[in-house]
Amino acid sequence: GGRGETRGGAGGSKGPAGSRGLSPSTQRCHPPELKLKDEECERLSKVREQLEQELEELTASLFEEAHRMVREANTKQAASEKQLKEARGKIDMLQAEVTALKTLVITSTPASPNRELHPQLLSPTKAGPRKGHLRHKSTSSALCPAVCPVAGHILTPDKEGKEVDTTLFAEFQAWRESPTLDKTSPFLERVYREDVGPCLDFTMQELSALVRAAVEDNTLTIEPVASQTLPAVKVAAVECGRTNGFRAPIDTTCALSGLACACRHRIRLGDSESHYYISPSSRARITAVCNFFTYIRYIQQGLVRQDAEPMFWEITRLRKEMSLAKLGFFPHEA
């Protein structure tokens, strides 16, 4: 019985020893898990450091881009302000030129040119020799002794003893009350019928109609032709006015009259690139009509500040030029 208790005691003593024997196996399970956790923490730390570095780089690049955009905006603003200043300066200059031109037109008209504003009209001793055409001063201040029933006053005489046509003067005054370029008005209808139409009635009817329309629309250009610009090369027949399509150095055929003569000028209609060579006589007829239209446009725009009588006599002088030009008289060219 004593041995049994001893064994029992021995068996009982194995219990604590057995429990102490389980502790090492349990302790052996912890180190691998801790190692995994340490590795995970280290990996996450690296990821965090990488994200922080990328964030810093992104922030730095954003700031750099913002500074660059600000610099570009400041540069563009400075350039825009400079262009605005230059544009305002040009506008002021153009406005001053327009004002000066208006003053020139108002104070100097074809009827009574201001010789101080036009040095080319001075005598040769004052202005020096000059090539070109001179416009003679109109005798607009010398009027004829006649009573106009519409105007209600007497027209003063001039030295040449001219006599005003009261019907023409009445038509002009009626047109002057409301100036227009409409050819249906009695004044312009008469000028078209008696002067403009015959003056621009050339042998080449089709081209004559185009020239007349361009003159009325103020889109006709007359250019002088230098001898070196006329090489003997083949060009379009309609351009030089010849039937063979060859351009002579100077002598050619007038595209309007069809006559062979020295054509030192050419015309261009509107924006067309085609040119038509014209004789001095044809040029004189076209310029006479253009001078008339220019003056009545000045009147319509209110740029001629004169009484009715000087304006009427200036228009009469321009009609006289058209009448002489259509008869074949033209100024001699040097």
Side-chain angles (χ1 to χ4, degrees):
R3 286 184 297 198
E5 291 177 358
T6 303
R7 289 176 185 158
S13 64
K14 288 181 182 179
S19 62
R20 286 195 299 268
L22 294 175
S23 178
S25 62
T26 305
Q27 292 177 356
R28 283 195 299 269
C29 295
H30 288 289
E33 295 178 0
L34 292 175
K35 185 177 181 181
L36 292 175
K37 290 181 179 180
D38 292 339
E39 292 177 353
E40 183 68 16
C41 290
E42 185 178 357
R43 186 182 66 82
L44 293 176
S45 298
K46 291 181 180 180
V47 172
R48 184 186 65 183
E49 292 176 356
Q50 183 179 1
L51 291 177
E52 290 177 351
Q53 183 179 0
E54 292 179 355
L55 181 60
E56 291 178 357
E57 293 177 355
L58 179 61
T59 304
S61 63
L62 289 176
F63 273 106
E64 184 179 356
E65 181 69 17
H67 285 300
R68 186 185 63 81
M69 294 175 65
V70 170
R71 287 194 301 269
E72 291 181 355
N74 292 335
T75 303
K76 291 181 179 179
Q77 182 179 0
S80 300
E81 291 177 353
K82 181 179 178 182
Q83 292 177 357
L84 178 61
K85 185 177 180 180
E86 293 176 354
R88 287 177 177 175
K90 291 181 180 179
I91 291 174
D92 294 340
M93 181 182 65
L94 291 175
Q95 288 178 347
E97 291 180 356
V98 170
T99 303
L101 288 174
K102 286 184 178 179
T103 304
L104 176 64
V105 173
I106 292 172
T107 59
S108 177
T109 64
S112 56
N114 188 332
R115 296 180 180 273
E116 293 181 358
L117 297 177
H118 298 278
Q120 69 272 18
L121 297 181
L122 296 176
S123 60
T125 57
K126 295 182 180 181
R130 177 180 79 86
K131 293 183 179 181
H133 303 291
L134 292 177
R135 181 185 295 277
H136 298 286
K137 185 177 181 181
S138 172
T139 57
S140 59
S141 59
L143 305 176
C144 66
V147 178
C148 179
V150 178
H153 55 269
I154 299 177
L155 301 179
T156 57
D158 67 355
K159 296 180 180 180
E160 297 181 359
K162 296 178 182 178
E163 182 177 345
V164 69
D165 188 318
T166 55
T167 302
L168 298 179
F169 189 77
E171 292 177 352
F172 168 72
Q173 279 200 318
W175 174 83
R176 182 172 173 266
E177 294 297 327
S178 180
T180 177
L181 297 180
D182 186 5
K183 63 181 70 176
T184 59
S185 65
F187 166 68
L188 286 184
E189 190 275 332
R190 178 188 295 273
V191 177
Y192 267 92
R193 183 180 70 253
E194 297 179 358
D195 302 305
V196 175
C199 196
L200 296 182
D201 185 17
F202 296 96
T203 303
M204 305 301 177
Q205 295 292 325
E206 183 177 355
L207 183 58
S208 298
L210 297 177
V211 169
R212 177 171 175 173
V215 171
E216 294 175 359
D217 296 336
N218 197 22
T219 58
L220 182 139
T221 304
I222 301 179
E223 304 172 344
V225 180
S227 58
Q228 59 268 23
T229 62
L230 292 174
V233 297
K234 187 171 182 179
V235 295
V238 69
E239 180 182 356
C240 64
R242 297 179 65 92
T243 56
N244 57 8
F246 287 87
R247 182 189 298 164
I250 287 295
D251 296 334
T252 182
T253 301
C254 177
L256 290 170
S257 65
L259 300 176
C261 57
C263 297
R264 301 182 182 276
H265 292 83
R266 62 184 184 180
I267 60 175
R268 182 163 53 89
L269 307 178
D271 297 330
S272 175
E273 297 297 331
S274 299
H275 294 84
Y276 305 91
Y277 290 85
I278 57 175
S279 64
S281 175
S282 299
R283 173 178 176 264
R285 293 168 66 173
I286 294 174
T287 53
V289 177
C290 290
N291 290 339
F292 169 77
F293 277 106
T294 299
Y295 189 66
I296 64 173
R297 287 191 185 99
Y298 284 167
I299 298 176
Q300 182 195 25
Q301 296 169 6
L303 299 177
V304 182
R305 305 294 178 86
Q306 288 182 327
D307 295 334
E309 297 171 5
M311 294 167 62
F312 172 76
W313 281 112
E314 176 62 18
I315 287 179
T316 303
R317 186 189 66 80
L318 294 173
R319 294 186 63 185
K320 177 183 176 181
E321 288 186 356
M322 288 189 286
S323 298
L324 292 175
K326 71 184 177 183
L327 292 176
F329 294 95
F330 57 90
H332 176 72
E333 297 180 358

